Structures are given as C-alpha cells and as structure tokens.
Amino acid sequence: RDEFALPFGNYDVSITVPADHILDATGELINRKEVFSKIMMQRYTQAKKSFSEPVVIVTQAEVEAASKGFATNTKTWKFRAEQVRDFGFASSRRYIWDMMAVKIGNRDVMAVSVYPPEGNPLWGEWSTKVVASTLKSYSRMTFNYPYHKAISVHAKNQGMEYPMICWNYGRPDKEGNYSERTKYGMFGVIIHEVGHNFFPMIVNSDERQWTWMDEGINTFVQYVAEQDFGEAYPEAIAPNKKYPSRRGPAKTIVDYMSGSQDRMAPIMTKGLNTYNFGANAYSKPAVGLNILRETIMGRDLFDYAFKTYSRRWMFKHPNPEDFFRTMEDASAVDLDWFWRAWFFTTDYSDIGVQEVKKFYVTSKMNAEVRQMMESRGMKESDLPPLVYLVEEGSDDYEESMETATLNDVVTLQQYIMDNMTPAERAKLKNPRFFYEVTFEKPGGVPMPIIAEYTYSDGSTERITYPVQIWRKNDASVGMVIASEMEITKIVVDPDEETADIDTSNNTWPKRKKLGEFNEFKQKVKG
Ligand SMILES: [Zn+2]
C-alpha cells in the first residue's frame, strides 16, 4: 500500500496495438499523423483552442461502431517523455476520447479524458473539466505544471497515478444513473490522482519511507482544488454551496485523533507500520497543513512557504526535514512545536474554559488588608488611597458593587481627577466588569486560543491569542478582561478550526448535560 518510488528518466516507447484501438500514454505522441484519422486531426486542432469546453476526438457513436468487429491490421503509437518517474498507457477499442486546453502561465496544456461508454454521462460531462481545474489549482499552489498534458482514464474501481496519466473510478449504473457518492467519489479521485503529478511525480519524495509526503501533502492540495472546483463549477456541486470535501477541514480528523492511542502511530511512521492508513497518511497531514494555512500562519505566508518548498524540490528527492525546514525558513515562522506535536506524536488538541472569575472595583478596604493593618497597629489613613478588586461571591462582595458607578469608587475617582486633563477624562473607557478567565489545555498539541465573547447586549467579539501563549505554561493560562458590558458567554474555537477532540469544555457557562435518555428522546422528536 505504500507505493513505489523511482528516479527520473527519459522514455522512448513504441506500442503496437490493433488498428481500431485508441491509445494514450505518458509522453508526447510523436507520430500523431500516422495514428490519427483526418477527422480526429481536425477535432484535435479545435481542442487545442478550446479553453472552456472539451472537444470530443473520438465519439461514443464511433466507439460503438468500432466495438462491433475486430481490426486485423495494427498501428504503432510512439511516445517520448523526458524527466518522468515512470511510464503508463491505456489502450482499447472502446475508448471515447476528449480534451480541452488549459492556460498554465503562458503555455497551453491539454486536459484529457479517455473512457468507455460505461462512464457516460458522468465522464463526458465532467472528467476533463475536473482535470483542467485541478491543473490550475495545483499550479497556483506550487509551480506551473511542466508537462504538456494530463490524462484521466476511466477505471471501474481504482485510483492510481503515473506521470501525465492516471486511472480513476466513478461509474454510473447501466441506465446511466449515479448517486451523489459516485459523483463526488469521481471528482475527488480525479483531483487526487491528477494532483499526484505534482506530488510525488515531480516533487519526488519516497512513498515507501514517508507515505504522508505525497499522500498527505497531495490530499491537502486536493482539498484546496476541490474548493476551487466548486467555485468554478457551481452547477457541478448544486445544491451544495461549497464542495463537500471529505478530508481537509479540521473537524474531519477529530474522530481519528480522539480514538484509542493503542491503535495510533505518529505520521512520521513508515507507511507499512501504521494503523488506519487513510487517516494517518492522508487525512491527518492534510488537516495539519490546512490548520497551518487557515489558523496559524495565514494564507499569504503559508502559500509563499509552500510554493517555495514545491519549487525548491521539483525534480528532486525531498525528505521530511526538507519540507519542515523550507516551510520555516521561507516563512520565518518557528514551527518546530507544530511538527513535533502533529507529525512526531499522537497527541491531540483540546483547549477549554476552566474557570471564569468576576470582579468589581471598590474603594472599601477588603478583609485581608484590614487584618494585616490591625495586626501591625496601623490605621487606614496610614495607607495611600487604594482601589480593591472584589471577587463576586467572596466575603468582601456586596450586591451594591454591581450597580456602583465611578462616583462610588471614591479613591479611583479622586485619582482620575488629580492626574488627568478634562480631555483625557473624556476619552476614558468606563469598564464596570472585570474578569479573570482561565483557559486549560488538556491536549498535548498547542493551538492558538480562539475565544468568542458574547456580551449582555448580544454582541460578540472574537479574540485569537497566538499559540505562543502556551510557551511558559503548557497546562493553563489566565486572561484578565475589563469590560463595559457583562460577558454572558465564552466559546473556545467556535468554528471548529483546531481539531479540538473534546468540545464539552469549550463553552462557559457550562452547558447543562442532558441525560442520555433525554438526548435519545430529543433525537426521536427531531
Ligand atoms: Zn494518492
């Protein structure tokens, strides 16, 4: 399951097949005039200028006519490929063939599909457009696709990649009907396998050592390309508004990361030795990179570093440290903590609100200071004017503190009058509520704290405390907040961006847990 890795080579290949076969392969077809009919040649010329719709080179009607007999003569197809890891070809008398042009930088690349009538209507409608959209997305995220074509070959139930050519599933039933699952399975596998042209066919990592370096990185760009495809072709994903990606978003890895530690290995494990191959080598690295991009580094910085890695290592053989180091040196962001936690351990992310204390301001001396004064024989007038913070519910707390205004806090009022000009005083905020919020981190993976505060008037404010907040204390951190309005609710990670495996501690005040039976009843009702 961890697939082969090969160095780069040049190929000159001649393949002789029955004359009624349609054949496509890795490399440039160098004797097109010998193997194409006149009408195929005309359609091909047209396809090279068609940037929005595929042009059919061999039609379904022609395929069905050809399928009735068997040619007795042969044709030889000749291909030349440079700088490729491998060579693949597909040949059949039952192949429909279509293609369209894609602008990549200032070059035209051909997006190509070959499929039997069994693939239609799905394949004729979408395969080549998916290939074209994938080439654009991957080129934007990495480097301009350097080969002259990318082919998607229909397969009954397989996804497998070779340079410039790949095999993809997604077959309608005999009546031509297909489910959403088949359709999205086909889109996803084509994007994924065409994406493999970039990782590992060009950025040539060794899948047998580091499966995640092509499967994981590729699955990450696949997610970006799926979202692009959904935006470019809304009719393909309707009634969905966004492409429903199976892998990539943080919450898609929560089930896996909250599973049993006995059946989990770090990403940095040889593919053969991992459990749960798909989650370990595809999904978790993809989610990790997506979290870096969306939540930790931001798209600009991440994309620049990721592009630098892709360009620096194209047609070379990177190892994990080459990826880790390039992402750091190109972005100037220290990511050691992230690589360590996400790639070298099986730790998970879990951050919550541990405790919220509420304080009020008063000039009235608190019990602690009063005791200290008495024990030393001092009077209140011996002290400079002081201001005290009193925790709600403590011995010093009085209900009147909740409605006190600045005028009631005499010492503070005096200080302001003595030290500030009327202009400065006019600009002063007037916080009445003071909080000490303690965030806890039971999880081993450090993440930024994304906190959403809701105030008594229903308004919300989101504050992201950067991940470095955990540098000196990895278990809990406290935040002091002064607010003009009462805080009624705090939610950590409201958009589920950090793969937090336990959201029961993410909300304050704690949501009352319904009994299991009540939950069951609600589900039945709903
Ligand atoms: Zn793959």
Side-chain angles (χ1 to χ4, degrees), residues 161 192-193 196 214-215 218 282:
E161 69 275 16
H192 182 93
E193 305 306 340
H196 271 312
D214 71 297
E215 297 300 0
N218 183 39
Y282 291 66

Short mmCIF file of all heavy atoms in Angstrom, two decimals, residues 161 192-193 196 214-215 218 282, ligand 1:
data_model
loop_
_atom_site.label_atom_id
_atom_site.label_comp_id
_atom_site.label_asym_id
_atom_site.label_seq_id
_atom_site.Cartn_x
_atom_site.Cartn_y
_atom_site.Cartn_z
N GLU A 161 -1.95 6.55 -9.93
CA GLU A 161 -1.27 7.63 -10.61
C GLU A 161 0.02 7.20 -11.30
O GLU A 161 0.75 6.34 -10.79
CB GLU A 161 -0.94 8.75 -9.60
CG GLU A 161 0.13 8.41 -8.55
CD GLU A 161 -0.40 7.67 -7.31
OE1 GLU A 161 -1.53 7.15 -7.36
OE2 GLU A 161 0.33 7.63 -6.31
N HIS A 192 -7.40 14.08 -6.96
CA HIS A 192 -6.31 13.48 -6.20
C HIS A 192 -5.25 12.88 -7.12
O HIS A 192 -4.05 13.15 -6.98
CB HIS A 192 -6.87 12.41 -5.26
CG HIS A 192 -5.85 11.76 -4.39
ND1 HIS A 192 -5.56 12.21 -3.12
CD2 HIS A 192 -5.04 10.70 -4.60
CE1 HIS A 192 -4.62 11.45 -2.58
NE2 HIS A 192 -4.28 10.52 -3.46
N GLU A 193 -5.67 12.07 -8.08
CA GLU A 193 -4.69 11.36 -8.92
C GLU A 193 -4.00 12.31 -9.90
O GLU A 193 -2.80 12.19 -10.15
CB GLU A 193 -5.34 10.19 -9.67
CG GLU A 193 -6.09 9.17 -8.81
CD GLU A 193 -5.27 8.57 -7.67
OE1 GLU A 193 -4.02 8.63 -7.73
OE2 GLU A 193 -5.87 8.05 -6.71
N HIS A 196 -1.33 14.01 -8.07
CA HIS A 196 -0.10 13.22 -7.87
C HIS A 196 0.96 13.54 -8.92
O HIS A 196 2.14 13.23 -8.72
CB HIS A 196 -0.41 11.73 -7.88
CG HIS A 196 -0.76 11.18 -6.53
ND1 HIS A 196 -0.01 11.43 -5.40
CD2 HIS A 196 -1.78 10.36 -6.12
CE1 HIS A 196 -0.54 10.79 -4.36
NE2 HIS A 196 -1.62 10.15 -4.77
N ASP A 214 3.79 12.36 -0.01
CA ASP A 214 2.98 12.59 -1.22
C ASP A 214 1.50 12.46 -0.94
O ASP A 214 0.71 13.32 -1.32
CB ASP A 214 3.44 11.73 -2.40
CG ASP A 214 3.11 10.27 -2.24
OD1 ASP A 214 3.64 9.65 -1.31
OD2 ASP A 214 2.33 9.74 -3.05
N GLU A 215 1.08 11.42 -0.20
CA GLU A 215 -0.37 11.26 0.01
C GLU A 215 -0.95 12.39 0.87
O GLU A 215 -2.02 12.91 0.58
CB GLU A 215 -0.67 9.90 0.64
CG GLU A 215 -0.29 8.70 -0.23
CD GLU A 215 -1.02 8.65 -1.57
OE1 GLU A 215 -1.83 9.55 -1.86
OE2 GLU A 215 -0.75 7.72 -2.35
N ASN A 218 -0.45 15.84 -0.93
CA ASN A 218 -1.36 15.84 -2.07
C ASN A 218 -2.82 15.99 -1.62
O ASN A 218 -3.61 16.70 -2.24
CB ASN A 218 -1.17 14.56 -2.89
CG ASN A 218 -2.03 14.56 -4.13
OD1 ASN A 218 -2.19 15.60 -4.78
ND2 ASN A 218 -2.61 13.42 -4.48
N TYR A 282 -2.98 10.20 4.95
CA TYR A 282 -3.67 11.11 4.04
C TYR A 282 -4.31 12.27 4.81
O TYR A 282 -4.02 13.44 4.58
CB TYR A 282 -4.78 10.38 3.27
CG TYR A 282 -4.33 9.36 2.26
CD1 TYR A 282 -3.67 8.20 2.66
CD2 TYR A 282 -4.60 9.52 0.91
CE1 TYR A 282 -3.29 7.24 1.73
CE2 TYR A 282 -4.22 8.56 -0.03
CZ TYR A 282 -3.57 7.43 0.38
OH TYR A 282 -3.20 6.49 -0.54
ZN ZN B 1 -2.79 9.11 -3.57
#
